[in-house]
Amino acid sequence: MSTATRSNPWGRLALYLVLGLFCIYYLTPLYVMLINSFKPLGEITSGGMVALPQDWTSEPWQKAWSEAQVGVEATGLRPYFINSFLMVIPAVAITTILGALNGYVLTKWSFRGSTLIFGFILFGCFIPFQVVLIPMARTLGLLGLAGSVPGLVFVHVVYGISFSTLYFRNYYTSFPTELVRAAQIDGAGFFTIFWRIMLPSSGPIAVVCVIWLFTNIWNDFLFGASFSDFDSQPMTVALNNLVQSSTGVKEYNVHFAGAIIAALPTLLVYVVAGRFFVRGLMSGSVKG
Amino acid sequence: MPSSLHNPGKSIRGGVQDFLPRLVLSPTIALTLVFTYGFILFTTYLSFSNSGMLPSYDLVGWANYTRLFKLRAWSIATTNLLIFGVLYIGICAVLGLLLAILLDQRIRAEGFIRTVYLYPMALSFIVTGVAWKWILDPGIGLEAVMHDWGFTSFQFRWIKDRDMAIYTIVIAAVWQTSGFVMATFLAGLRGIDREMLHAAEVDGASTFALYRRIVIPQLRPAFLSAFVVLAHMAIKSYDLVIALTNGGPGISTEMPATFMYSYTFTRNQMGVGAASAEIMLLTIVAIIVPYLWSELRGNKQ
Amino acid sequence: MSFLDIENATKSYGAARVLNETNISVEEGEFLVLVGPSGCGKSTLLNMIAGLETVTSGEIRIRGKRMNEVKPAERNIAMVFQSYALYPNMTVRGNISFGMEMQGVPKPEREKKIAEVADLLQIKPFLDRKPGQLSGGQRQRVAMGRALTRDPDLFLFDEPLSNLDAKLRVDMRTEIKKLHQKLGTTIVYVTHDQIEALTLSTRIAVMFGGDVQQLGTPDEIYNNPVNMFVAGFMGSPSMNLLAATLRQGADGMEVELARPDASKVRLPFSAATTQADLSDMDGREVVFGIRPEALTDSEGATPASQAIHYADILVDVVEPAGSDTFVTVTLGGKDAIGRLRANAKAVAGKTFTFAFDMEKAMLFDPETQQRIA
């Protein structure tokens, strides 16, 4: 945009220098976690947090994965990692499908008052979840879902719908209504139009929505901490327990390995589909 | 005629097809009605009751609220939120704007740099908390490393300091979300009409004047949406505090979200917890409703 | 009973009325064009015929059968949309076949029909491409092909040419006309382009503000507009509508128009020009309507006309356009355009002798905007 900086080689150099420094700033914590997860504990405590390991070891990873004392038993993080997947996959699937259907109705079959209903659903994106914690704990108990993975799935679906509805509704708004009309004249009904016309063109927004929900639900801590038992805890809660546990010596290397394991699925998604991740963040600007 | 886009064929179909759309929408409406609005009402009720460990239905008027505002922990929590909110939003906005402008100078490898700046957003606050907890820990983190390098007088023990610990939360939170603000501003910059900038250059505007007088004022919408997102995050912030300081040392990094949780679930003062949740809700509503109102009204055009 | 009857049909969204009581009857094989500026209600009316919009009150009948409650798919209509509305995820073949599939037409029959239509519209080479890979004109053909497979009673077109560039638009216009002549299907066609309306239709309904202003053949609409809106909307450049005063002259009524220098032009507007009785209208303010081709040079005037009158007027602007030359003058306080032969000797800043073909001239009431004579 500005020709001034472009024509000045020193300015250019300074520019790249600043940008490079910020790259280091953002990458340092990841670097620290990564290298220290391959060190024996002694190397860290003897004051070498930024130095590369002298003695590479995968033991912290093993320990974090299958041996560390997280809850009552020394199971490692593995069962909680699995819990998180058992929670995320159905929650994302159900929420996305409901959101797509809602968006379809709200844009292509809108009726008197449907804009109002959208606003009414949208409000759910903004509430601080603290305000629903107490009644939700009671309700899950009444439904017999307290302290279980299905209970967490239920909670995430309930509070995820407003987001998925927002995504699909905004996407379908610019989807040509003439296509729906043409299909109606062709004799297609409500669901046929959805399956044959709308869904095949919903790839981009579905990816955005799935990634966004996956990241959010995987990273959730509040609901996990509030509504799970020892055997249904998601990864984030287990990781926090591992790090906060006051018994014995602090095994930093194991903590770092555990943190990376917890971050791995969402990081992977980000690296593979970062474009869609960013788009989700942006279109979620009407959210929070 | 866009107004005729509504109701393709409503009431023509008759029978099931006619109310199918509403039928499809109804589970969501029911869930929202019960689990958002119903629950808010329920919590509001509890905030006026003498609930302790379990919900109770005996109303006590404003007692929980008066008690809440007399609690030292709550005043610490709100002061902390104010400090945190102002610094967090302010630094993120300045840093995000700076990085966005720097990245908008036809940078080689822009895609890579953007990816690097934004990746913390994909992490859980718990992971961020763990990483920064040990980096800021004087025993093994930054201070230890500096000592190791020979700067033995270097001191950095904010995380152990009652007066400074809240700032460590700002550090970690800024690290996590400033990339997002950068991306928001960058998108805003890319949306500005290039011809207008050329016109300004022809008019003889310096780069500085170009940004200050023409570009930055046009980023108002981007700034507004970033502000709303960040304010919202600040008020809800719970995970990061738990992972980084767990509210400590003492209760020096207590925030409304952690306060609500501990009063409700560990201190068995559910009425007070509910009252604090109500205050959080009202704060967010005060920020969000005007924003949403202007957004939705703008979209109608 | 006609083929398509629209009887007292109205449309409202809540309190907002977008279509007032409308009555149109279309005979089998007719090509009816609904024309008007955006927001006039023409697309709403078309969508009501298609069944995509409900009818607020009144009735729509096809072959005498009430259609108000019949689903779009069961009205035996076909529709071509402005954006073509081709399903982006299906090939051209899939697009054409989808409607038949929904109607439960067996596969061999579908294939046969597709081949037939592909032949007719010359779209065979790209049957297996996706719509995104086609040009505007090709998409247009596919959209028509999709409509044709249905053997509809009634063809509906919603501004089908407005997304094409100027040259292609003219070609496709001819093609639609050919198709109509070949198949003889009844067509209702919506456009905002008055040239399309004049060239394609057998009858035109000019719409404005939710009302049909005039319904008639292209000739009636062009030469006998009922009000100032129709007169001004149809034709390009549009009709000159100039403030004037009626005066009693020696041989009957005359129209008096002010030149910029406050001198007057007087043109006889008498028995040869109109049947209307203007005898008691001396001194009345009127709007004088004359089309550019009736305001020309002396050699350009139609020799057949019984009422050519001449007047010298100062020329403001001369715009040669190849086959014609357009000249702007100021008359009655407004710009008026005359259409001269290419080699006419008009020069900007000088006076020129114009020929007014008063047989083609009209008078309107400035208050009601209705035609007086």
Side-chain angles (χ1 to χ4, degrees):
Chain A
M1 146 174 336
S2 84
T3 42
T5 34
R6 212 149 53 96
S7 51
N8 175 355
W10 291 110
R12 224 43 207 158
L13 191 69
L15 183 63
Y16 277 99
L17 211 65
V18 173
L19 289 172
L21 278 175
F22 274 103
C23 278
I24 294 174
Y25 163 65
Y26 285 110
L27 285 173
T28 302
L30 189 64
Y31 168 80
V32 167
M33 283 198 280
L34 208 58
I35 57 155
N36 288 301
S37 70
F38 287 107
K39 279 180 198 168
L41 189 58
E43 266 187 54
I44 304 178
T45 42
S46 66
M49 207 179 204
V50 290
L52 284 173
Q54 292 160 348
D55 181 14
W56 289 82
T57 169
S58 62
E59 203 199 302
W61 286 76
Q62 253 167 31
K63 214 163 173 192
W65 180 245
S66 53
E67 292 159 27
Q69 176 103 18
V70 176
V72 214
E73 285 170 70
T75 54
L77 290 168
R78 185 173 53 188
Y80 308 102
F81 192 79
I82 294 168
N83 278 347
S84 270
F85 268 108
L86 291 179
M87 167 184 82
V88 166
I89 292 169
V92 168
I94 297 169
T95 312
T96 306
I97 290 169
L98 279 175
L101 279 168
N102 290 344
Y104 170 53
V105 171
L106 286 172
T107 54
K108 301 304 169 203
W109 298 84
S110 57
F111 44 87
R112 189 188 292 265
S114 58
T115 314
L116 204 68
I117 290 180
F118 174 60
F120 166 90
I121 295 172
L122 193 60
F123 182 67
C125 293
F126 300 100
I127 57 163
F129 293 131
Q130 281 77 12
V131 87
V132 297
L133 282 184
I134 303 169
M136 187 49 109
R138 304 274 301 162
T139 309
L140 287 178
L142 289 175
L143 295 174
L145 291 172
S148 71
V149 172
L152 287 176
V153 171
F154 179 77
V155 176
H156 284 299
V157 168
V158 166
Y159 297 109
I161 293 179
S162 27
F163 292 100
S164 59
T165 302
L166 170 70
Y167 282 134
F168 278 97
R169 186 258 184 196
N170 286 355
Y171 184 77
Y172 286 154
T173 298
S174 52
F175 187 91
T177 299
E178 285 196 345
L179 281 176
V180 177
R181 301 189 154 198
Q184 271 185 285
I185 290 185
D186 275 342
F190 179 83
F191 283 111
T192 314
I193 295 175
F194 183 65
W195 288 117
R196 299 278 307 265
I197 313 290
M198 303 296 283
L199 267 196
S201 302
S202 309
I205 198 62
V207 173
V208 166
C209 182
V210 164
I211 288 179
W212 200 87
L213 287 173
F214 178 87
T215 312
N216 259 28
I217 299 175
W218 182 275
N219 287 343
D220 163 72
F221 178 75
L222 183 62
F223 288 151
S226 309
F227 305 133
S228 63
D229 276 346
F230 282 122
D231 54 356
S232 59
Q233 276 170 0
M235 190 63 186
T236 46
V237 178
L239 174 66
N240 190 55
N241 288 349
L242 172 73
V243 176
Q244 305 285 358
S245 75
S246 43
T247 50
V249 277
K250 292 216 178 298
E251 298 181 292
Y252 307 112
N253 52 356
V254 176
H255 298 174
F256 285 134
I260 295 176
I261 295 172
L264 220 47
T266 51
L267 267 186
L268 211 65
V269 165
Y270 175 67
V271 169
V272 171
R275 198 158 51 92
F276 294 102
F277 177 81
V278 176
R279 207 185 301 166
L281 276 180
M282 294 317 217
S283 43
S285 285
V286 185
K287 48 122 222 181
Chain B
M1 274 159 281
S3 65
S4 63
L5 294 185
H6 294 293
N7 287 347
K10 174 205 151 194
S11 89
I12 294 162
R13 322 196 125 244
V16 191
Q17 291 277 348
D18 193 18
F19 66 90
L20 205 50
R22 269 168 260 209
L23 191 70
V24 165
L25 208 54
S26 56
T28 304
I29 296 176
L31 287 177
T32 311
L33 209 58
V34 174
F35 291 97
T36 301
Y37 295 89
F39 278 12
I40 289 174
L41 285 181
F42 187 81
T43 304
T44 311
Y45 187 93
L46 288 185
S47 74
F48 291 106
S49 75
N50 65 350
S51 303
M53 194 170 99
L54 291 170
S56 139
Y57 301 99
D58 301 330
L59 290 177
V60 291
W62 294 93
N64 289 322
Y65 289 91
T66 37
R67 208 175 116 57
L68 177 70
F69 284 107
K70 281 187 194 143
L71 281 173
R72 202 174 69 90
W74 178 251
S75 74
I76 290 176
T78 46
T79 315
N80 277 341
L81 176 62
L82 196 68
I83 297 173
F84 174 75
V86 169
L87 287 177
Y88 170 59
I89 296 172
I91 298 175
C92 274
V94 171
L95 198 59
L97 181 63
L98 176 77
L99 292 178
I101 290 176
L102 293 184
L103 258 188
D104 197 32
Q105 312 293 331
R106 299 169 213 258
I107 294 298
R108 225 172 287 174
E110 184 201 311
F112 171 77
I113 297 176
R114 231 176 26 209
T115 308
V116 168
Y117 288 1
L118 199 55
Y119 87 91
M121 202 64 192
L123 301 180
S124 156
F125 272 118
I126 299 294
V127 172
T128 303
V130 170
W132 284 94
K133 182 188 181 74
W134 297 143
I135 290 174
L136 298 171
D137 189 280
I140 60 159
L142 191 59
E143 190 179 297
V145 169
M146 293 307 253
H147 288 185
D148 210 33
W149 286 353
F151 304 96
T152 43
S153 59
F154 183 86
Q155 268 214 348
F156 192 75
R157 36 185 72 228
W158 284 7
I159 200 163
K160 301 281 185 204
D161 183 335
R162 279 171 183 276
D163 295 328
M164 303 307 281
I166 186 69
Y167 301 104
T168 63
I169 297 176
V170 177
I171 294 175
V174 166
W175 177 80
Q176 171 130 3
T177 35
S178 49
F180 159 71
V181 181
M182 178 276 300
T184 309
F185 281 133
L186 194 58
L189 285 175
R190 297 283 148 89
I192 293 175
D193 181 11
R194 297 274 136 172
E195 285 197 0
M196 189 192 321
L197 300 180
H198 290 312
E201 275 186 68
V202 172
D203 282 343
S206 67
T207 306
F208 180 73
L210 194 71
Y211 275 100
R212 202 178 68 84
R213 301 279 303 279
I214 297 175
V215 175
I216 295 176
Q218 290 192 65
L219 292 177
R220 225 180 90 94
F223 182 81
L224 203 64
S225 64
F227 171 79
V228 168
V229 173
L230 294 179
H232 189 233
M233 278 181 146
I235 295 167
K236 295 209 297 193
S237 60
Y238 174 71
D239 327 13
L240 185 61
V241 182
I242 293 294
L244 193 64
T245 64
N246 204 2
I251 55 165
S252 63
T253 51
E254 189 86 270
M255 294 268 255
T258 57
F259 175 94
M260 183 273 162
Y261 195 92
S262 62
Y263 268 74
T264 306
F265 294 113
T266 51
R267 291 176 182 235
N268 298 330
Q269 301 192 29
M270 199 173 270
V272 176
S276 68
E278 289 298 315
I279 303 287
M280 292 175 65
L281 176 70
L282 288 177
T283 317
I284 286 186
V285 164
I287 294 171
I288 296 291
V289 166
Y291 174 71
L292 263 195
W293 179 255
S294 68
E295 282 281 303
L296 287 179
R297 218 181 28 174
N299 287 349
K300 263 192 181 161
Q301 292 305 313
Chain C
M1 181 196 89
S2 305
F3 182 78
L4 166 69
D5 287 301
I6 300 161
E7 201 176 281
N8 297 326
T10 70
K11 178 73 192 178
S12 306
Y13 296 106
R17 188 111 182 222
V18 293
L19 187 71
N20 296 319
E21 289 201 358
T22 299
N23 291 285
I24 298 176
S25 294
V26 183
E27 299 302 329
E28 185 148 20
E30 259 199 284
F31 195 133
L32 174 75
V33 173
L34 307 176
V35 68
S38 62
C40 70
K42 58 189 192 298
S43 289
T44 305
L45 180 56
L46 191 77
N47 284 332
M48 285 158 70
I49 299 171
L52 295 169
E53 302 261 10
T54 53
V55 178
T56 306
S57 70
E59 199 168 85
I60 288 177
R61 290 188 300 269
I62 296 177
R63 294 189 196 275
K65 196 179 151 227
R66 182 180 155 97
M67 284 289 142
N68 294 34
E69 291 80 20
V70 178
K71 283 191 206 175
E74 286 159 14
R75 295 185 181 199
N76 201 22
I77 52 166
M79 188 157 173
V80 176
F81 294 87
Q82 178 170 7
S83 67
Y84 319 132
L86 299 178
Y87 310 126
N89 53 306
M90 301 179 196
T91 59
V92 168
R93 189 188 301 277
N95 264 284
I96 297 177
S97 134
F98 184 75
M100 293 188 282
E101 217 179 298
M102 291 295 115
Q103 311 288 334
V105 177
K107 186 148 196 213
E109 210 170 310
R110 295 204 305 254
E111 292 294 328
K112 202 177 128 231
K113 199 84 204 181
I114 292 170
E116 230 175 84
V117 171
D119 240 16
L120 183 71
L121 294 167
Q122 296 148 19
I123 52 176
K124 214 169 221 159
F126 32 85
L127 272 181
D128 292 310
R129 285 195 214 158
K130 292 270 179 75
Q133 300 164 290
L134 304 182
S135 71
Q138 291 166 337
R139 281 183 218 183
Q140 173 71 56
R141 277 167 217 268
V142 175
M144 291 205 298
R146 179 169 69 181
L148 280 174
T149 54
R150 306 179 55 104
D151 288 324
D153 282 341
L154 185 59
F155 245 130
L156 305 175
F157 286 88
D158 189 2
E159 308 235 11
L161 302 181
S162 58
N163 285 351
L164 299 177
D165 62 52
K167 164 101 177 53
L168 203 53
R169 196 178 310 161
V170 175
D171 294 347
M172 288 309 295
R173 203 165 71 197
T174 315
E175 231 164 292
I176 291 176
K177 188 143 193 175
K178 269 192 208 154
L179 207 62
H180 178 241
Q181 285 166 356
K182 192 145 129 200
L183 302 172
T185 316
T186 316
I187 292 179
V188 179
Y189 184 109
V190 162
T191 181
H192 63 269
D193 181 343
Q194 45 89 24
I195 306 248
E196 253 170 55
L198 291 169
T199 48
L200 283 171
S201 66
T202 57
R203 269 198 310 158
I204 298 176
V206 183
M207 297 184 67
F208 180 64
D211 284 304
V212 173
Q213 302 287 328
Q214 189 173 1
L215 176 65
T217 62
D219 178 61
E220 284 165 357
I221 298 281
Y222 190 79
N223 293 316
N224 256 322
V226 297
N227 59 30
M228 279 167 66
F229 175 79
V230 176
F233 189 77
M234 303 300 288
S236 172
S238 55
M239 182 187 281
N240 300 305
L241 293 166
L242 310 167
T245 314
L246 274 178
R247 296 285 180 210
Q248 186 67 51
D251 302 319
M253 298 306 286
E254 291 178 352
V255 177
E256 183 184 273
L257 293 147
R259 289 198 185 89
D261 61 3
S263 66
K264 309 284 192 226
V265 176
R266 275 198 159 198
L267 302 163
F269 199 92
S270 56
T273 320
T274 175
Q275 281 93 42
D277 182 18
L278 303 172
S279 50
D280 58 347
M281 289 194 184
D282 186 17
R284 179 164 169 184
E285 301 289 321
V286 292
V287 171
F288 174 67
I290 189 156
R291 291 205 181 271
E293 64 265 27
L295 175 56
T296 181
D297 54 312
S298 53
E299 282 91 32
T302 320
S305 175
Q306 302 289 309
I308 303 284
H309 296 280
Y310 297 94
D312 289 343
I313 308 167
L314 184 72
V315 173
D316 293 336
V317 181
V318 177
E319 294 171 285
S323 58
D324 305 291
T325 294
F326 291 98
V327 170
T328 307
V329 300
T330 309
L331 212 52
K334 275 177 71 182
D335 280 353
I337 294 176
R339 182 167 173 176
L340 277 47
R341 287 169 310 120
N343 53 355
K345 297 281 182 291
V347 179
K350 301 230 166 99
T351 53
F352 181 78
T353 307
F354 286 89
F356 288 75
D357 182 351
M358 295 305 280
E359 265 190 5
K360 297 263 178 69
M362 304 161 200
L363 296 181
F364 299 93
D365 184 320
E367 292 293 313
T368 65
Q369 313 236 320
Q370 295 302 308
R371 177 92 173 265
I372 305 170

